[in-house]
Amino acid sequence: MEYRLLGRTGLEVSPLCLGTMMFGDWGNQDVTDSTRIIHHALDAGINFVDTADVYSAGGSEEIVGKALAGRRDDVVLATKFFMPMGEGPNRGGGSRKWIMQAVENSLRRLGTDYIDLYQVHRPSALMDVEETLGALTDLVRQGKVRYIGSSSYSGSQIVEAQIASREGHLARFVTEQPPYSILVRGIEEDILPTARRHGMGILTYSPLAGGWLSGKWRKESAPTPTSAARPGARFDMTSTANQRKLQVVDALADVADDAGMSLIELAIAFVINHPAVSSAIIGPRTMEQLDSQLPAAGVALSEHILDRIDALVAPGVTMNPDDNSYGANELATSARRR
């Protein structure tokens, strides 16, 4: 597996990053099997692992920590904070109080004394970014965190954070983690070029668009997923946007067939073939899913294939706005003039 620089950090990472959201109560509850999957990914050349404190209420971090015992120094380990981790106030967010507590909790669960990439899981419209950056800077100086990153930031929020870091002499976000897939291309218009101008590495998530590009849901048989983890608007198969997505998925399957690859390989290769993308997070729940995704690391897409994809989903277009994970606060009714 060929490795890439993560932005301007000097870190070399695999083009596929193992996402561990599905290890624990949210997905694969078999710790032994989850550990086996993690080891298989590492043996295949993946050296980048991403998790978050909120995944299975810390359970994912615990599984990752146990799986990396004896192999920690070979891995670029990333985790995230921000989402609520319990009832009551001050159990989440970007405040100094919570960050200092959250990092200690993650270090304990991960069984390590440092985190390579510590990311803010979401931006906050209420929190001063300088407070968040100030606390994270202290963690970097203490050696508990090597680098810091953001997730699901808009282009303007990326710029705001970079300016705050420069003017306040604070550690800066060196990565951004946005959603990106053939069906969710909104970041191509602003977020990718903005992050690239600031030398940030891009660690994308959901290259299979929440399963839409796995071949699981097709036009001829498209039941509405019932999982509580899947927002209804994103998987309501009766909506106009999702009906159009089903048509596009069928057409993309033909593109993949003509190219001699699976739809999964086409979808993941599309993401990692973008010059601004450092690594794409894959989130297998089973060994079979992992094995179906690993070959994408070595797939190069021709101009002809990319042109066929662009003809189905134009650059910069997200087919269903509900698939975006940024801009929600700005588009809420209370933030608009109505």
Side-chain angles (χ1 to χ4, degrees):
M1 191 172 294
E2 296 184 4
Y3 299 90
R4 307 169 170 188
L5 288 177
L6 185 61
R8 295 176 185 166
T9 64
L11 283 176
E12 293 183 281
V13 297
S14 49
L16 300 182
C17 173
L18 181 66
T20 65
M21 185 177 74
M22 298 308 295
F23 299 149
D25 290 343
W26 287 12
N28 191 339
Q29 299 179 33
D30 187 330
V31 175
T32 300
D33 189 48
S34 296
T35 299
R36 189 182 303 115
I37 295 170
I38 294 172
H39 287 170
H40 184 50
L42 300 183
D43 293 340
I46 290 179
N47 75 333
F48 202 2
V49 177
D50 177 79
T51 185
D53 56 6
V54 73
Y55 297 163
S56 296
S60 172
E61 286 188 327
E62 291 178 352
I63 291 172
V64 170
K66 293 174 182 176
L68 294 185
R71 307 183 70 166
R72 172 67 183 90
D73 291 340
D74 298 326
V75 172
V76 176
L77 179 58
T79 191
K80 300 180 284 292
F81 70 92
F82 185 83
M83 301 302 194
M85 288 294 289
E87 300 294 332
N90 303 315
R91 297 286 296 166
S95 69
R96 171 175 289 272
K97 173 179 174 57
W98 176 243
I99 290 172
M100 293 303 180
Q101 181 177 344
V103 74
E104 297 297 338
N105 293 340
S106 287
L107 288 169
R108 183 186 69 255
R109 288 189 292 259
L110 290 166
T112 184
D113 56 3
Y114 71 99
I115 295 166
D116 292 298
L117 179 63
Y118 200 39
Q119 304 158 98
V120 186
H121 211 150
R122 290 291 187 274
S124 171
L126 304 177
M127 177 59 59
D128 186 344
V129 69
E130 290 183 350
E131 176 173 348
T132 298
L133 288 168
L136 293 172
T137 298
D138 288 345
L139 295 181
V140 171
R141 291 170 178 167
Q142 293 168 14
K144 295 179 179 180
V145 169
R146 300 294 191 253
Y147 301 96
I148 61 174
S150 56
S151 177
S152 295
Y153 273 45
S154 67
S156 64
Q157 289 165 335
I158 289 172
V159 173
E160 180 185 6
Q162 293 292 323
I163 292 174
S165 293
R166 183 168 63 247
E167 293 183 347
H169 304 287
L170 302 170
R172 73 180 190 93
F173 293 139
V174 299
T175 59
E176 163 59 18
Q177 185 180 137
Y180 186 41
S181 71
I182 295 175
L183 302 179
V184 184
R185 300 184 63 173
I187 67 170
E188 292 175 340
E189 186 173 15
D190 184 26
I191 293 170
L192 285 183
T194 299
R196 203 175 187 188
R197 285 197 304 273
H198 289 280
M200 300 174 72
I202 297 292
L203 171 62
T204 66
Y205 67 87
S206 203
L208 299 180
W212 279 88
L213 296 172
S214 69
K216 182 176 181 180
W217 300 301
R218 301 291 291 273
K219 192 167 60 174
E220 66 273 11
S221 58
T224 301
T226 57
S227 169
R230 300 189 184 283
R234 292 184 60 196
F235 294 89
D236 177 4
M237 300 303 176
T238 65
S239 75
T240 301
N242 287 339
Q243 282 293 309
R244 173 59 183 151
K245 280 165 61 175
L246 289 172
Q247 296 173 352
V248 169
V249 169
D250 279 351
L252 288 170
D254 291 337
V255 174
D257 287 341
D258 292 344
M261 66 183 73
S262 69
L263 178 59
I264 289 173
E265 292 170 16
L266 177 76
I268 297 174
F270 170 83
V271 172
I272 62 178
N273 272 235
H274 195 291
V277 173
S278 305
S279 189
I281 297 173
I282 57 174
R285 182 178 53 83
T286 66
M287 189 73 77
E288 180 183 16
Q289 290 175 352
L290 174 61
D291 283 334
S292 71
Q293 296 168 19
L294 285 173
V299 173
L301 300 182
S302 68
E303 292 292 328
H304 174 65
I305 293 175
L306 292 173
D307 286 343
R308 289 185 66 182
I309 292 173
D310 288 349
L312 293 168
V313 183
V317 170
T318 293
M319 298 195 66
N320 184 347
D322 290 309
D323 290 332
N324 279 327
S325 61
Y326 54 89
N329 292 326
E330 291 80 2
L331 296 179
T333 302
S334 59
R336 294 183 280 122
R337 293 177 54 193
R338 19 173 123 171

